[in-house]
Amino acid sequence: MGGWPSKATPASSASGWSSLLPELSDLILRSLPSLADRVRFASVCRHWRHAVKHYSLQAASLPRALPWLNFRSGRFRSLPDGELHSFRFRKYTLCFGCFDNWLLFEEAGCRPSRRYYLQNPLITGATKRLPGYCMEPVHLNPDGSHGTSSSSRSTEFYISKVIMCSRDLVVAKLNYQHRPDAVVCCRPGMSSTWLTGLCNGNWYHDMAFYEGKLYTVTVEGDLFVNEVSSNGTGTEEPRVSRMEQVIQGTPNSATRCYLVISCTSKLLLVRWIIPQDPTQEMTMKVLEADLKMSRWLEVESLGDQVLFISSYCSKAVTASSHGGYLQRNQIYFLDDGLVHWFLGPCGNRQACGVFHMSSNTIHPISLGEEHLSTQSKASWFFP
């Protein structure tokens, strides 16, 4: 449908469209999987704009727009047509991923040496400042008791994933001074320091906010629940007060692991397996968390679901609600966190693509009349 609209359609040319039956305009809107096309839809006339506002108040009735590919440089490409979108980032900033429609930035040349913030590029002024300091994490003893806490804080940490649990609660998975991961919390714009997190000596591959709790997973599939406590009044800073292992994984050959909330509200684990032997094919396995029995159950089919996975943000959508573009039982994968040396002699393996669970095959991501290079490095952005 062309580029983003530069101005509203004149009333004389829009009058015919405004007389379209509401039922038909609803059908048109629901058949548009691209956010850009939905924006153009709303610019046609007042009646169509009203239809978009109606759906915005009832988000469950309108399928979520398909994600964009984020190339970190301010360039984005949207599914399904591969349309290019560009945003102007601040000078001396690096984009380190996203959560939903919020991008994570690191600002260079500042004090503290690492200054992070979240920004929604689709909304003017939508910025949430994150702390530049972090308290040293408390290490858990083998019996589960807490070690001695320290009052020291540092700027020597790296954020590997961030989750907005609510408007005033942000949780991050970070590496403190190149030691194993810790989960920490803050109130964006109000906290000057990430508060003390708990560290059990594990390196986590992913983190998800599920049913009011934070879950972290290792490459072996060990699943931990991290409970966040605060008094709920805003007078006490939130902190991770308790950590417990709820599922013990098994040794496996997975290269990356991702946590995804399914369309039916199940906690899924996706294992991306890249064999070191270049003659063997890559594959993916999907497991479902059975928290009552403390075990993983293998999922043979996703049904009508499609999973979009990456290191920074993963989502599940229903295939039938996106106008025939998506095919059921597939996994769209991207991971710009995979470094080339990790793949070693298998450096020509796909860094992104579409995995078909029914046939155990991988195909390139379609962008209209072309395909995304299988060596492209990007992450998902969900506008």
Side-chain angles (χ1 to χ4, degrees):
M1 294 182 67
W4 286 87
S6 58
K7 59 181 179 180
T9 305
S12 58
S13 61
S15 58
W17 294 109
S18 64
S19 61
L20 193 67
L21 292 175
E23 293 82 0
L24 292 178
S25 64
D26 284 357
L27 287 174
I28 295 173
L29 178 59
R30 292 180 63 83
S31 68
L32 300 177
S34 168
L35 173 67
D37 287 345
R38 294 180 182 182
V39 172
R40 298 181 186 107
F41 178 98
S43 71
V44 170
C45 65
R46 177 171 56 86
H47 294 279
W48 287 28
R49 186 162 55 253
H50 174 75
V52 174
K53 290 182 178 179
H54 168 74
Y55 276 121
S56 67
L57 298 175
Q58 303 179 27
S61 64
L62 183 65
R64 185 166 191 161
L66 290 176
W68 295 2
L69 293 98
N70 171 21
F71 294 96
R72 290 195 177 189
S73 62
R75 294 174 58 254
F76 297 78
R77 299 190 71 177
S78 60
L79 299 181
D81 52 13
E83 183 177 356
L84 180 64
H85 308 286
S86 298
F87 296 103
R88 186 173 298 174
F89 293 166
R90 298 181 187 179
K91 287 185 177 181
Y92 312 114
T93 61
L94 296 174
C95 180
F96 274 85
C98 65
F99 177 74
D100 284 350
N101 52 1
W102 292 88
L103 297 173
L104 174 64
F105 291 93
E106 179 186 321
E107 202 168 12
C110 302
R111 290 183 177 274
S113 59
R114 300 192 186 281
R115 180 172 292 177
Y116 294 95
Y117 64 90
L118 292 167
Q119 186 175 60
N120 185 338
L122 301 175
I123 302 177
T124 302
T127 302
K128 295 182 181 291
R129 182 68 64 179
L130 301 178
Y133 297 93
C134 181
M135 301 296 292
E136 185 173 350
V138 173
H139 292 266
L140 296 178
N141 297 318
D143 60 359
S145 61
H146 292 193
T148 304
S149 61
S150 171
S151 60
S152 64
R153 64 177 191 169
S154 173
T155 61
E156 296 301 316
F157 66 90
Y158 297 87
I159 297 178
S160 54
K161 182 163 185 175
V162 65
I163 293 178
M164 288 188 62
C165 301
S166 65
R167 201 169 56 175
D168 61 349
L169 175 60
V170 172
V171 176
K173 177 170 70 75
L174 58 82
N175 175 251
Y176 186 91
Q177 293 183 343
H178 307 287
R179 286 182 278 178
D181 298 323
V183 178
V184 295
C185 312
C186 80
R187 297 190 187 279
M190 301 174 62
S191 306
S192 62
T193 303
W194 293 101
L195 290 192
T196 300
L198 301 180
C199 179
N200 60 5
N202 283 295
W203 299 88
Y204 299 125
H205 265 215
D206 204 2
M207 174 175 67
F209 187 60
Y210 176 65
E211 294 187 342
K213 296 180 180 179
L214 287 159
Y215 289 86
T216 50
V217 68
T218 67
V219 68
E220 292 83 9
D222 293 334
L223 186 69
F224 297 85
V225 61
N226 303 260
E227 294 188 3
V228 178
S229 64
S230 68
N231 58 14
T233 64
T235 58
E236 179 186 5
E237 292 285 358
R239 65 182 65 238
V240 177
S241 58
R242 179 174 170 269
M243 179 190 297
E244 178 186 0
Q245 184 169 353
V246 291
I247 295 181
Q248 183 174 353
T250 56
N252 62 87
S253 56
T255 301
R256 296 290 300 177
C257 291
Y258 309 87
L259 292 174
V260 194
I261 312 302
S262 75
C263 297
T264 55
S265 300
K266 304 293 185 181
L267 181 61
L268 303 180
L269 171 65
V270 180
R271 285 176 169 170
W272 181 4
I273 301 171
I274 306 178
Q276 293 187 356
D277 184 350
T279 64
Q280 298 181 4
E281 297 294 331
M282 291 169 33
T283 188
M284 291 192 174
K285 300 291 184 183
V286 180
L287 307 172
E288 177 186 317
D290 181 353
L291 297 176
K292 291 183 179 180
M293 299 299 295
S294 300
R295 61 184 179 179
W296 291 111
L297 302 175
E298 186 166 355
V299 176
E300 304 216 350
S301 173
L302 296 171
D304 189 37
Q305 295 183 97
V306 174
L307 305 183
F308 291 87
I309 62 170
S310 68
S311 294
Y312 303 108
C313 194
S314 301
K315 293 286 182 183
V317 302
T318 54
S320 58
S321 62
H322 285 86
Y325 170 74
L326 297 178
Q327 296 182 26
R328 64 201 310 266
N329 202 27
Q330 294 183 345
I331 302 174
Y332 281 67
F333 63 94
L334 297 167
D335 199 325
D336 62 356
L338 281 177
V339 292
H340 294 298
W341 66 262
F342 186 84
L343 297 179
C346 310
N348 61 345
R349 299 292 185 100
Q350 295 97 322
C352 59
V354 185
F355 179 77
H356 300 250
M357 287 192 64
S358 57
S359 61
N360 203 40
T361 57
I362 297 175
H363 299 284
I365 297 175
S366 175
L367 297 175
E369 297 180 353
E370 60 178 295
H371 292 92
L372 181 70
S373 168
T374 58
Q375 298 298 308
S376 295
K377 298 182 66 177
S379 61
W380 295 118
F381 173 68
F382 294 88

